[in-house]
Amino acid sequence: MTLKVGVIGTGMIGQDHIRRLTTVLSGVAVTAVSDIDADRARAAAPEGAEVFGTPQALIRSDAVDAVVICSWGPAHEEQLIDCIAAGKPVFCEKPLVTSEKAALNVMEAEVAFGRRLVQVGFMRRFDADYRRLKAVIDSGTLGAPLMYHSVHRNASVPEGLYTSEMPLNDTLVHDADISRWLLSDEIAAVEVRLPRRSTRGGELRDPHFVLLHMAGGALVDVEISVNIAYGYDIRGEVSCEQGIAALPNRPATVVSDRHGIRQAIPEDWRERFIEAYDQEFREWILAAGQGTATGPSTWDGYAATLVADAALRAVASGGREVIAMRDKPALYETAMSKAA
Ligand code: NAP
């Protein structure tokens, strides 16, 4: 059976996901697209795909079994709730939404529907290196985790994204989610320290040093640099009671010549996580074909949203901002896949 997918938002990542859904993965076809910019949607539409004037019309169409949301964050809430109302599985790029209220609205709709339909695009959980790292931690051979050092560096960000909130709303959510997943714990409080501002970014507040206090007492420090010029660099190291486990740099050819010994650095997230994105969609297609969702859930998107909100408050207060989570609905208790 071929899963008929409609893609909302045909910008940078929307186009990349259309490419993987049409040329890399099997059992799936992109049958519909929609974008606020109709010309962009038409240009991105694969052969035979219908171009819809509104996300709502795409979601309701019989040509669509399941939906992929790649619009910008503030539009996600309404589109997710429309997908749930239509009973259609939906993959939503991170961030799930951009406020606690919006996250709760989506969660309430999904809980009322009674079955998981939403998967959030936290692709690191599908990366082979992160999965090996988690397997080592979960095996217990190194003892309990005490600290996790996470590094998230982007070469640059598009002009339109040069706001002071962007590194915390759009970037920190990946580190928040992977910290919760690796350490199997919730984040209880957040602090943010601001080093001297990089002179490269104009008004951009960059970099950030974030401290996440896990509920069980472990600490996570996160360097977020979104404008560091040299490339896309994701690293991490977990310190446990009897050893450490580190996320390796990506395997790449080692070149030795008269300039020295070196390895190429990925240009951006598309290159570094190309296999993780493919794998997250493989698992999404399987679940969506059965009318449900596995992998990172609405609860995980809610948790990451609370962390981003707390981090923004921490920048303003200079102090430690506590996170108050509501009780976890039973719908999100079952670990349904390796990535859940
Ligand atoms: P982008 O290039 O700006 O593309 C977003 C597209 O959605 C644009 O064409 C935009 O049109 C359109 N759009 C905005 N509001 C819409 C609405 N209400 N209905 C339909 N279309 C709408 O941004 P992007 O980089 O692709 O990012 C899209 C999403 O993916 C964001 O949530 C981002 O955080 C996420 N993302 C995730 C990763 C990851 O690693 N998982 C990486 C990159 C991006 P206009 O340009 O005219 O507004």
Side-chain angles (χ1 to χ4, degrees), residues 8-9 11-14 35-36 40 55 70-73 75-76 79 93-95 121 123 170 174 269 277:
I8 300 171
M12 195 160 45
I13 205 163
D35 194 288
I36 219 161
R40 195 178 294 148
C70 300
S71 54
W72 75 315
H76 292 180
Q79 294 166 3
E93 262 309 337
K94 66 84 202 163
M123 76 295 183
D170 260 354
H174 278 302
W269 36 272
Y277 290 119

